[in-house]
Amino acid sequence: MINTQSFLASTLDISNENFLNGGDLHFSGDSNLAVINLGEINASGGSVYLLAQKVENAGTITADDAVGLAGANHVILKQEGDDRLAVRLSDMNGSADGRIDQSGLIESAQAELRTVGNNPYALAINHSGITRATSTIERDGRIILFAESGTTKADGAFDASAPDDGDGGFIETSGTHIEIANTIKVDTSARNGETGTWLIDPEDIEINSTSTIGGSSLINASTIEGNLESTNVTITSNNALGGNGDITVNESITSDSTNNLTMNAGAGGDVIVNQNIDVGGDLALNAGNGASGSAGSDANASSSLAATNGQDGQRGGFVQVDAELTAANVTLRGGRGGNGGDGGSALTNPSADSFYPNQSFMARGGEAGQGGDGGMVSVNAEISATGNVDILSGGGGSGGDG
């Protein structure tokens, strides 16, 4: 058993200068040795951080402030703020995939589990234990599981509730791919305040009992239904590593809870509803805004006499509803089209003359990119609400300057 004010263990290196000067601490190295806790670590009044390429907690970690587990070969530990851990690949061992296994108990005001790697399908975070960050009137609890370019497997229990005063906290389970077990328990409820939010954030995601879309993460409708009893649920897709950023509902969702269900597609991503959704709280389906086109390059007498055109903006995502929706309030929002990129600037004659004397040139700039089309909302089924129904198509993006 370790009893202390704060505790840090790492198999990575830190320079003497960085350590003595204080401020943000930079750990890096090529060691593949793990930090493993099988016992008890208690930090009364402070924090606990375990930093290594591989970190395992099968014991108990308690801290009054924060607990952080980082699986990477380059870790930055910040001295303040909510998100104190930053992970990245090190130049010394850039091909190594980080890994965190949390099968024990973590109790603190805030908990961060972060990894980074090269293989989006490699298991990066495996959570089967209990992580608790109880909210108070002074501070909302926060639990973050984030696997950058890796798979997050989430099971066990996550508790950021406010049993006395204050609002419920925030829980995030993110990764390039995620595997959410049917037995997961998530609680951000508040006895005397507002319920918090559970954020599920992979690339593409399908809501179904069995996978029908290759490459998409999967979550069962029953998992959403069961956890809506104790938390608001937000499903957000992203396409940072090449996915479409789509959210597809292929299994009906039914819940009497008054907590809210929100689906936010990634940039240019679509929300497609093929099965009924019937919830007691608010329902929001938001398609992704299109990405803006990049600007064209300027003409340069030393390398190119021709300016390039600006890229067109990406179309906004659409919301397609082919099944019944029932909720307290319903919002359907198409994505806004991305703005077009500016065209590259023309080569000026004085610049041209300095490289090509006694020749004539026609200055020609690149054409501006066109703005992307706004995403539409297509409804081919009945919508029922005890409150408001708002249907908003996305506006088109602005064209760039030529």
Side-chain angles (χ1 to χ4, degrees):
M1 176 183 293
I2 298 174
N3 289 308
T4 183
Q5 182 176 3
S6 289
F7 181 80
L8 187 153
S10 178
T11 61
L12 304 174
D13 298 325
I14 182 173
S15 70
N16 292 335
E17 181 181 10
N18 183 198
F19 182 77
L20 293 174
N21 289 341
D24 294 346
L25 301 178
H26 293 251
F27 297 83
S28 62
D30 58 1
S31 173
N32 59 5
L33 297 178
V35 173
I36 301 173
N37 174 48
L38 302 176
E40 295 183 29
I41 304 173
N42 177 40
S44 178
S47 302
V48 175
Y49 290 100
L50 307 181
L51 318 176
Q53 184 178 320
K54 300 183 186 301
V55 176
E56 179 181 348
N57 177 50
T60 298
I61 304 174
T62 59
D64 289 341
D65 186 13
V67 172
L69 310 183
N73 50 35
H74 188 173
V75 180
I76 300 173
L77 175 56
K78 303 174 184 178
Q79 298 304 303
E80 58 185 21
D82 287 332
D83 298 326
R84 297 185 186 175
L85 290 176
V87 295
R88 61 185 64 171
L89 294 173
S90 169
D91 294 337
M92 289 181 286
N93 194 9
S95 62
D97 292 316
R99 173 72 179 262
I100 294 175
D101 289 281
Q102 152 53 1
S103 59
L105 171 65
I106 293 176
E107 291 185 309
S108 62
Q110 175 175 306
E112 285 185 81
L113 284 70
R114 295 183 183 271
T115 67
V116 65
N118 278 306
N119 185 354
Y121 294 96
L123 181 57
I125 298 178
N126 185 16
H127 186 289
S128 58
I130 299 171
T131 300
R132 183 176 295 122
T134 304
S135 298
T136 65
I137 195 169
E138 293 87 9
R139 185 177 184 182
D140 294 343
R142 281 170 53 88
I143 300 173
I144 307 296
L145 270 67
F146 185 87
E148 184 178 343
S149 189
T151 295
T152 295
K153 185 175 182 179
D155 197 358
F158 299 82
D159 186 353
S161 62
D164 298 316
D165 295 315
D167 296 331
F170 176 76
I171 296 172
E172 177 179 353
T173 50
S174 295
T176 309
H177 298 276
I178 58 171
E179 298 177 10
I180 305 292
N182 297 340
T183 52
I184 192 172
K185 300 297 182 185
V186 179
D187 188 356
T188 66
S189 60
R191 183 177 181 181
N192 296 305
E194 298 293 329
T195 299
T197 298
W198 174 25
L199 172 64
I200 304 165
D201 184 14
E203 285 195 339
D204 303 294
I205 186 165
E206 178 184 6
I207 299 168
N208 204 352
S209 55
T210 57
S211 177
T212 63
I213 302 175
S216 290
S217 296
L218 185 73
I219 183 171
N220 284 10
S222 60
T223 305
I224 297 173
E225 294 167 349
N227 286 286
L228 274 172
E229 299 297 323
S230 53
T231 185
N232 298 304
V233 176
T234 296
I235 300 173
T236 298
S237 62
N238 69 78
N239 50 10
L241 293 177
N244 295 322
D246 295 338
I247 301 173
T248 306
V249 181
N250 283 333
E251 185 176 31
S252 61
I253 301 171
T254 303
S255 173
D256 293 332
S257 170
T258 57
N259 290 327
N260 302 326
L261 176 61
T262 302
M263 300 183 189
N264 299 319
D270 306 325
V271 180
I272 303 167
V273 180
N274 296 319
Q275 296 293 330
N276 296 346
I277 301 177
D278 185 346
V279 294
D282 293 344
L283 174 65
L285 307 179
N286 301 311
N289 294 330
S292 295
S294 59
S297 59
D298 296 339
N300 186 330
S302 63
S303 58
S304 174
L305 296 178
T308 61
N309 299 333
Q311 290 184 343
D312 295 340
Q314 184 184 21
R315 72 158 177 84
F318 59 82
V319 176
Q320 180 175 321
V321 178
D322 293 322
E324 296 180 5
L325 305 180
T326 304
N329 296 287
V330 176
T331 301
L332 309 179
R333 188 186 303 272
R336 184 184 184 278
N339 295 331
D342 294 340
S345 298
L347 183 70
T348 60
N349 279 333
S351 295
D353 289 342
S354 64
F355 282 90
Y356 305 97
N358 304 318
Q359 298 185 42
S360 60
F361 295 88
M362 179 179 293
R364 186 183 299 276
E367 295 181 1
Q370 297 182 356
D373 293 335
M376 67 177 183
V377 177
S378 174
V379 179
N380 301 304
E382 182 178 342
I383 298 177
S384 300
T386 56
N388 298 323
V389 176
D390 296 317
I391 301 177
L392 306 168
S393 295
S398 301
D401 294 329

